[in-house]
């Protein structure tokens, strides 16, 4: 007997035996959108019909990727010209040579980009899985997802990519099963003798980026829903930040990494035992963001680049590490100042003994009496108790470490030992003039040394090569101790953008009247210091762009003050509106930035969302003036986050160090044929304009980045009023730095009404010079299926 | 030995390394015979040396060999005020166009035969040069920075600022002679 006739099936994971049926004819009748897992059947109550690409595999969005990659072609910069990934090698791939497996240089570079992005996406996925498992263990599978009042579309990326409308933690497990499955295929493509085409590798890079965004969204909506984080709250609390906020008289715990349960365990223990406020909980990197979202009395010390200087300050009695971006020899730094070290993640065991099952007091005793430098504990609650008890016991014994670790006199004496070998300068990633600074310091002038503080990213590579064994990083940090007294305010990560906010600003964004949405994201590997990020965001906030921020960049934004002593978070509102400065939260909160772009297409423009990736990405690319800026991007996660944005049609700008990602995705404004699109109104193919001009761009200076941000916010759909506003910012910023009109401004003037009134005469003169011709403003799309009428 | 090593120690190149330009005479000769030349400048060209600014030397070099300057640095306004052959464009973008055999250059007059680099962060130049080395093999690249750039076709060796200024001064004199 035939029970089912099946039209479309997606098998998501062997383990769960999860099957999706687009349409099934059964003896009971025709069933649509049935989802079956091993022990349950989900009858979708999702009112929206399923779109064309539910849970796409690598090949399903390949044609969209090729559309993008044809316009934004890769420029490869082989950071390494050899390949040593298999025993056929090493292979020299330079200057047109191929490896023994047949691979050429372009394919090898894109393969390495794919590998990096797989690492990034796997890391977010693993993080999300751990969080979801932890929350299910504590609260059960059926805990509902709740992103707060005004958020109807709770998981725009999940809905868009998978077609699932998640309601509970259980549904998030299904999403992660799909991501797991895709990641395995993507990673497998990098094996020797597998994919061989650079553009196909690039398509997979975009696919893995999309997986990364799914994983980030799952992680953040799970923790927001269950852990009491701010729920889409524009008035999320302002968190104390900086070195100066630590009360030295109290025991101090430092948390660092990205995955919040162990930090939450510490806070829970303090609350349950009436100790909150008596022990300082201080954090760095994204764990600090998320711990502050969990409890606003957490103090945010600073970004990832401050790990070593914070431990060397002697302030933390206990160092608790979870996962991602943690300096892997932090335990050595903790040992030097007699702080104890607790590792908490299976992914980061540090060679330590697993003490998860041992009695708390025994573990604490071993730590405090220095029988062990550190321990490994996988139970977040136990981490909380051990960390607090150890900090309380240790603090009185460690008072001597909490004063300035290196005196002015000691710095001068050290500097006299410099043998001027230049090893430090040639090793420092920012090429800081350390040797010259040592020369001046030896004569008693510490100003050059202290001047390096802002640009020092805390990698400590200089110390490893110094032939005189000088504590160079510490000398730079304590050449002046102003930073020790500095305090700032960082608004706690608010999470998602409300549907109501999207309704209010969707129109002005799509028509161009709010000139752009700019997201400052990523790590703190800044080439010239964090001030660049602050100045860029201030420039655009004052111009009433919408500023979003996440991760270390969101901390950096809060670490500079105006003349009145106020940080950006105190000067600008936290709402998703013109002139808002919005901290969405940690790295995984980047999902809300992509989510906001998606929601504009769905909520404002009413484009179908469910499993309708191409159409939404086409909408975002052509209509939503959003740009990501990862000025200090360092990690593989940053690479996969960026690639998720590229596929969605959001350009990303990185700082100088970002060139080490080894490939740019650049448009060619000089090739008209690259900018031909469909006018959806008529079906006509028309030359439109090079907007947005690039998808992945590396800027040398903040000024270059500022001008490029303003340019990349332009979209073919801008109304004339909106375009005039965007052009006035672009031209004004360019003039400010380069004292002239941008030479390509004629490319972005479509009709005379686009010209900003205040610059009319000079722009008209330039248009005449360039032999400019008026263009029609199309209803832009790159997808033939979206043409409404063919002529 | 350190003179001919990559300035940033970990930036170890592949199997083909730049030939060192020991003398200004050789640099002058390479530039004179360089065909259509594009000079790519980074923000470092605003550095003031003991006699003149680096920018003065570079503009002199560009003028002497009728080169076009490409830059997105803060020096652009100054360069443009002295040289009409200058375009605001990012070095990465320009390098992206060079491998295209149909590209007619920033002035539309034809492909470049030689590209000169100066003033970008060391690692950025390193990377752009490896892109050109591998994907634009017909273009000769010259680094005039004071640090050895192994991925160029020709590079100066590592030198101190005084030596570098002397080199640039002599180069300008040779080109003008
Ligand atoms: S993977 Fe290919 S290029 Fe790499 S070492 Fe093996 S054979 Fe050579
Ligand atoms: S710690 Fe600072 S000074 Fe030392 S190498 Fe790293 S960035 Fe340079
Ligand atoms: S590595 Fe050490 S000894 Fe050598 S120049 Fe730098 S500070 Fe001086």
């Amino acid at each position: 007997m035939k029970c089912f006739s099946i039209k479309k099936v997606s098998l998501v994971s062997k383990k769960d035996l999860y099957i999706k049926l687009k349409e099934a004819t059964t003896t009971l009748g025709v069933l649509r959108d049935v989802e079956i897992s091993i022990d349950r059947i989900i009858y979708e109550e999702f009112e929206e019909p399923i779109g064309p690409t539910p849970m796409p595999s690598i090949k399903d969005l390949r044609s969209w990727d090729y559309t993008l990659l044809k316009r934004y072609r890769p420029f490869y910069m082989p950071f390494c010209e050899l390949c040593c990934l298999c025993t056929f090698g090493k292979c020299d791939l330079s200057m047109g040579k191929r490896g023994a497996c047949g691979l050429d240089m372009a394919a090898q570079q894109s393969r390495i980009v794919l590998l990096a992005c797989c690492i990034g996406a796997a890391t977010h996925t693993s993080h999300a899985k751990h969080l979801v498992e932890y929350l299910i263990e504590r609260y059960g599978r059926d805990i509902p997802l709740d992103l707060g009042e005004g958020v109807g579309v709770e998981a725009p990326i999940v809905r868009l990519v998978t077609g699932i409308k998640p309601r509970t933690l259980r549904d998030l497990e299904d999403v992660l099963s799909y991501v797991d499955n895709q990641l395995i295929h993507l990673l497998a493509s990098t094996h020797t003798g597998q994919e061989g085409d650079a553009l196909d590798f690039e398509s997979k890079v975009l696919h893995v980026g999309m997986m990364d965004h799914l994983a980030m969204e799952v992680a953040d909506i799970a923790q927001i829903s269950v852990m009491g984080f701010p729920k889409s709250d524009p008035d999320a609390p302002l968190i104390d930040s900086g070195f100066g906020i630590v009360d030295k008289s109290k025991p101090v715990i430092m948390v660092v990494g990205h995955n919040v349960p162990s930090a939450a365990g510490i806070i829970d223990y303090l609350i349950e035992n009436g100790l909150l406020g008596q022990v300082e909980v201080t954090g760095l990197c994204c764990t600090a963001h998320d711990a502050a979202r969990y409890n606003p009395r957490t103090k945010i010390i600073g970004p990832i680049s401050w790990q070593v200087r914070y431990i060397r300050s002697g302030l933390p009695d206990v160092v608790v590490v979870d996962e991602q971006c943690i300096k892997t020899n932090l335990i050595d730094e903790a040992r030097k100042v007699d702080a104890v070290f607790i590792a908490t993640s299976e992914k980061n065991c540090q060679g330590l003994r697993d003490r998860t099952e041992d009695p708390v007091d025994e573990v604490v005793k071993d730590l405090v009496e220095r029988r062990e430098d550190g321990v490994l504990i996988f139970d977040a609650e136990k981490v909380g108790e051990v960390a607090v008890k150890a900090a309380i016991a240790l603090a009185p014994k460690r008072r001597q470490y909490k004063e300035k670790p290196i005196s002015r006199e000691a710095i001068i004496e050290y500097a006299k030992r410099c043998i001027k070998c230049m090893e430090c300068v040639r090793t420092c990633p920012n090429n800081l003039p350390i040797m010259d600074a040592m020369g001046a310091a030896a004569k008693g002038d510490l100003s050059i040394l202290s001047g390096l503080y802002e640009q020092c990213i805390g990698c400590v590579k200089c110390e490893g090569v110094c032939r005189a064994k000088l504590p160079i990083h510490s000398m730079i940090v304590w050449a002046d101790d102003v930073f020790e007294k500095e305090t700032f305010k960082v608004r706690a990560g608010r999470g998602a953008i409300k549907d109501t906010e999207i309704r209010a600003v969707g129109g002005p964004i799509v028509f161009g009247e709010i000139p752009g949405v700019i997201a400052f994201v990523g790590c703190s590997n800044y080439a010239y210091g964090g001030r660049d990020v602050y100045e860029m965001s201030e420039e655009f906030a004052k111009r009433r762009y919408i500023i979003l921020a996440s991760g270390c960049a969101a901390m950096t934004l809060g670490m500079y003050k105006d003349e009145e002593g106020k940080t950006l978070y105190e000067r600008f509102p936290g709402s998703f509106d013109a002139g808002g400065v919005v901290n969405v939260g940690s790295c995984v909160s980047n999902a809300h930035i992509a989510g906001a772009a998606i929601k504009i297409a769905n909520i404002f423009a009413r484009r179908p969302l469910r499993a309708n990736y191409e159409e939404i990405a086409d909408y975002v690319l052509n209509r939503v003036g959003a740009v990501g800026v990862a000025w200090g991007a360092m990690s593989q996660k940053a690479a996969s986050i960026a690639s998720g944005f590229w596929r969605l049609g959001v350009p990303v700008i990185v700082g100088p160090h970002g060139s080490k990602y080894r490939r740019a995705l650049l448009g060619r404004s000089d090739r008209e044929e690259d900018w031909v699109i469909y006018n959806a109104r008529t079906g006509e193919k028309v030359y439109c304009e090079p907007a947005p001009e690039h998808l992945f761009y590396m800027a040398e200076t903040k000024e270059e980045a500022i001008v490029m941000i303003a340019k990349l916010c332009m979209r073919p759909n801008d109304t004339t009023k909106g375009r005039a506003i965007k052009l006035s910012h672009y031209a004004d910023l360019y003039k400010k730095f380069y004292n002239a009109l941008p030479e390509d401004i004629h490319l972005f003037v479509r009709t005379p009404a686009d010209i900003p009134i205040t610059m009319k005469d000079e722009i008209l003169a330039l248009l005449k010079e360039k032999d400019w011709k008026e263009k029609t403003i199309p209803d832009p799309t790159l997808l033939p299926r979206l043409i409404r009428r063919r002529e | 030995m350190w003179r001919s090593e990559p300035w940033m120690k970990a930036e170890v190149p592949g199997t083909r390394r730049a030939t060192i330009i020991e003398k200004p005479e050789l640099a002058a000769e390479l530039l004179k015979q360089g065909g259509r030349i594009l000079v790519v400048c980074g923000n470092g060209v605003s550095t003031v040396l003991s006699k003149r600014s680096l920018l003065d030397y570079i503009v002199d070099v560009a003028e002497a060999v009728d080169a076009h300057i490409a830059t997105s640095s803060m020096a652009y306004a100054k360069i443009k005020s002295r040289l009409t052959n200058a375009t605001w464009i990012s070095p990465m973008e320009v390098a992206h166009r060079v491998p295209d055999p149909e590209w007619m250059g920033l002035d539309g007059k034809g492909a470049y035969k030689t590209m000169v680099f100066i003033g970008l962060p060391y690692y950025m130049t390193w990377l752009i040069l490896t892109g050109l080395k591998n994907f634009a093999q017909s273009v000769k690249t010259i680094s005039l920075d004071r640090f050895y750039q192994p991925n160029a076709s020709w590079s100066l060796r590592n030198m101190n600022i005084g030596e570098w200024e002397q080199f640039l001064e002599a180069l300008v004199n040779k080109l003008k002679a």
Side-chain angles (χ1 to χ4, degrees), chain A residues 78 81 92 95 426 700 743, chain B residues 6-7 15 43 76 133-134:
Chain A
E81 296 179 271
D92 174 9
M95 322 271 296
R426 295 181 61 195
E700 183 197 358
E743 283 157 44
Chain B
W7 170 247
T15 49
N43 213 39
Y76 178 64
K133 170 177 161 183
N134 282 286

Side-chain angles (χ1 to χ4, degrees), chain A residues 85 134 186 196 271 296 341-342 371 414 445 456 477 676 682 750:
Chain A
L85 279 176
Y134 163 80
L186 288 157
I271 292 172
F341 187 88
I342 305 175
R371 281 196 211 114
Y414 273 130
D445 174 8
C456 169
V477 172
V676 171
T682 61
R750 300 156 306 173

Side-chain angles (χ1 to χ4, degrees), chain A residues 103-289:
Chain A
L103 211 63
D104 67 11
M105 182 65 95
Q108 169 68 358
Q109 295 312 303
S110 48
R111 179 192 191 198
I112 298 290
V113 175
L114 176 58
L115 263 175
C117 291
C118 280
I119 295 171
T123 305
H124 280 142
T125 309
S126 155
H127 175 181
K129 285 177 90 85
H130 176 264
L131 261 178
V132 170
E133 280 162 19
Y134 163 80
L135 295 173
I136 285 177
E137 204 180 294
R138 292 191 114 197
Y139 305 102
R141 278 199 163 71
D142 296 320
I143 285 280
L145 299 176
D146 173 12
L147 277 283
E149 224 172 90
V151 183
V153 181
E154 71 304 299
I157 304 173
V158 169
R159 289 195 194 192
L160 176 67
V161 178
T162 66
I164 295 174
K165 177 181 178 179
R167 293 178 179 80
T168 61
L169 292 179
R170 182 194 300 273
D171 298 335
L172 298 183
E173 286 184 303
D174 295 337
V175 176
L176 291 176
S177 294
Y178 160 67
V179 175
D180 283 351
N181 177 286
Q182 294 303 301
L183 284 179
I184 290 166
H185 296 311
L186 288 157
L187 185 58
S189 325
T190 65
H191 193 273
T192 301
Q194 202 85 272
E195 186 58 78
D197 181 81
L199 282 195
D200 263 314
F201 271 125
E202 294 294 350
S203 163
K204 292 173 175 68
V205 166
L206 299 179
H207 195 64
V208 79
M210 190 175 76
M211 294 305 120
D212 183 70
H213 281 213
L214 276 175
M216 290 194 297
E217 187 172 75
V218 166
D220 214 36
I221 64 177
Q223 58 184 4
I224 290 171
S225 296
V226 186
M227 296 186 75
F229 286 13
K231 291 185 172 176
S232 316
D233 180 5
D235 299 314
L238 287 166
I239 306 296
D240 285 325
S241 175
F243 268 70
I245 40 114
V246 183
D247 184 343
K248 289 185 188 179
S249 67
K250 295 178 183 171
V252 180
I253 299 172
M254 159 182 167
V255 292
V256 61
H258 288 76
N259 196 353
V260 75
S262 47
I266 293 165
I267 293 162
D268 289 347
Y269 183 82
L270 290 172
I271 292 172
E272 282 155 18
N273 292 278
L275 293 168
L276 192 67
Q278 294 177 40
V279 175
E280 296 279 78
V281 181
T282 62
L284 294 102
C285 202
C286 285
T287 298
H289 271 308

Side-chain angles (χ1 to χ4, degrees), chain A residues 73-79 81-82 92-97 105-106 422-423 425-431 467 527-528 656-657 659-660 662 664 666-671 693-694 697-701 703-704 707-708 734 737-739 743, chain B residues 2 5-16 41-44 72-74 76-77 80 86-93 95-97 99-100 102-103 119-124 126-128 130-135 137 147 151 158:
Chain A
R73 292 189 178 84
F75 173 58
Y76 295 110
M77 295 166 282
F79 204 14
E81 296 179 271
L82 308 177
D92 174 9
L93 305 176
S94 66
M95 322 271 296
K97 295 188 274 296
M105 182 65 95
M422 278 193 307
E423 291 290 311
V425 184
R426 295 181 61 195
T427 302
C428 174
N430 283 340
N431 258 198
R467 296 195 191 159
Y528 322 105
H657 285 301
S659 47
K660 297 173 201 166
R662 75 192 69 200
L666 300 171
R668 288 275 302 270
S669 60
D670 60 320
R671 285 168 52 97
E693 190 173 341
H694 306 295
Y697 182 92
M698 289 102 192
E700 183 197 358
T701 63
E703 292 83 6
E704 178 188 347
V707 165
M708 193 49 70
Y734 189 94
F737 301 128
Y738 306 109
N739 208 18
E743 283 157 44
Chain B
W2 72 275
E5 287 172 350
W7 170 247
M8 291 184 80
K9 294 200 86 170
E11 305 292 7
V12 176
T15 49
R16 201 216 70 185
C41 296
N43 213 39
S72 53
S73 74
M74 292 297 284
Y76 178 64
K80 192 72 184 173
T87 303
W88 190 93
I89 185 168
S90 97
M92 208 72 78
E93 224 181 313
H96 174 54
R97 293 183 185 188
D100 175 0
E102 285 168 27
W103 188 50
L120 282 162
Y122 182 83
Y123 51 89
M124 271 187 119
W126 196 101
L127 280 153
I128 295 171
T130 139
L132 292 170
K133 170 177 161 183
N134 282 286
F135 299 105
Q137 289 174 36
F147 302 122
N151 292 316
N158 295 320

Side-chain angles (χ1 to χ4, degrees), chain A residues 415 417-425 434-435 438 462 465-470 472:
Chain A
R417 284 168 32 193
C418 169
I419 57 163
K420 308 219 175 311
C421 65
M422 278 193 307
E423 291 290 311
C424 51
V425 184
I434 302 164
M435 192 178 79
M438 290 297 174
C462 48
V465 297
C466 178
R467 296 195 191 159
K469 303 259 174 288
L470 304 185
I472 300 172

Side-chain angles (χ1 to χ4, degrees), chain A residues 332-343:
Chain A
D332 300 335
E333 293 290 340
R335 189 183 295 123
K336 285 185 212 160
V337 291
D338 278 340
V340 305
F341 187 88
I342 305 175

Side-chain angles (χ1 to χ4, degrees), chain A residues 187-486:
Chain A
L187 185 58
S189 325
T190 65
H191 193 273
T192 301
Q194 202 85 272
E195 186 58 78
D197 181 81
L199 282 195
D200 263 314
F201 271 125
E202 294 294 350
S203 163
K204 292 173 175 68
V205 166
L206 299 179
H207 195 64
V208 79
M210 190 175 76
M211 294 305 120
D212 183 70
H213 281 213
L214 276 175
M216 290 194 297
E217 187 172 75
V218 166
D220 214 36
I221 64 177
Q223 58 184 4
I224 290 171
S225 296
V226 186
M227 296 186 75
F229 286 13
K231 291 185 172 176
S232 316
D233 180 5
D235 299 314
L238 287 166
I239 306 296
D240 285 325
S241 175
F243 268 70
I245 40 114
V246 183
D247 184 343
K248 289 185 188 179
S249 67
K250 295 178 183 171
V252 180
I253 299 172
M254 159 182 167
V255 292
V256 61
H258 288 76
N259 196 353
V260 75
S262 47
I266 293 165
I267 293 162
D268 289 347
Y269 183 82
L270 290 172
I271 292 172
E272 282 155 18
N273 292 278
L275 293 168
L276 192 67
Q278 294 177 40
V279 175
E280 296 279 78
V281 181
T282 62
L284 294 102
C285 202
C286 285
T287 298
H289 271 308
D290 285 347
R293 293 163 91 190
Y294 188 65
N295 187 303
R297 290 179 75 174
T298 305
K299 294 177 173 178
I300 296 177
I301 297 300
I304 197 77
S305 46
W306 289 14
Q307 305 176 68
V308 172
R309 69 189 68 164
Y310 186 47
I311 294 185
R312 288 188 182 180
S313 76
L315 293 173
D317 299 298
V318 174
V319 177
V320 179
V321 302
D322 52 83
E323 58 173 278
Q324 306 161 40
C325 306
I326 300 155
K327 203 160 166 57
T328 52
N329 60 346
L330 220 48
I331 189 168
D332 300 335
E333 293 290 340
R335 189 183 295 123
K336 285 185 212 160
V337 291
D338 278 340
V340 305
F341 187 88
I342 305 175
T344 63
S345 166
E346 289 180 24
K347 283 160 271 177
N348 179 16
C349 295
Q350 294 286 331
L352 296 168
R353 189 148 70 100
D354 180 1
R355 306 294 303 270
T356 312
E357 302 302 329
D358 295 348
V360 166
D361 291 334
E362 209 176 279
V363 180
V364 172
K365 194 162 180 267
D366 286 349
L367 283 171
V368 173
E369 292 178 1
R370 312 303 304 171
R371 281 196 211 114
E372 279 182 295
D373 290 335
V375 293
L376 187 56
I377 304 174
F378 296 123
D379 174 340
E381 282 171 30
K382 191 170 262 181
V383 170
E385 189 175 351
V386 171
V388 171
K389 285 184 167 168
I392 291 172
L394 264 176
K397 301 183 184 178
R398 291 189 64 261
R399 291 235 161 81
Q400 78 276 19
Y401 290 112
K402 303 204 180 194
E403 296 314 317
K404 191 173 173 177
I406 178 167
S407 68
R408 182 186 158 81
E409 293 69 34
I411 292 172
I412 294 170
E413 283 314 305
Y414 273 130
K416 287 179 184 165
R417 284 168 32 193
C418 169
I419 57 163
K420 308 219 175 311
C421 65
M422 278 193 307
E423 291 290 311
C424 51
V425 184
R426 295 181 61 195
T427 302
C428 174
N430 283 340
N431 258 198
L432 297 179
I434 302 164
M435 192 178 79
D436 296 346
M438 290 297 174
K443 293 181 192 137
D445 174 8
L446 302 194
S447 63
I448 306 181
L449 207 49
S450 69
L452 306 182
Y453 175 82
E454 168 77 7
Q455 292 173 64
C456 169
I457 53 148
C459 68
V460 202
K461 290 204 287 188
C462 48
E463 293 186 6
V465 297
C466 178
R467 296 195 191 159
K469 303 259 174 288
L470 304 185
I472 300 172
H473 180 55
S474 297
M475 293 167 75
I476 290 171
V477 172
W478 279 278
D480 189 343
D481 53 9
V482 174
F483 80 97
E484 282 192 315
K485 300 177 191 77
E486 283 176 335

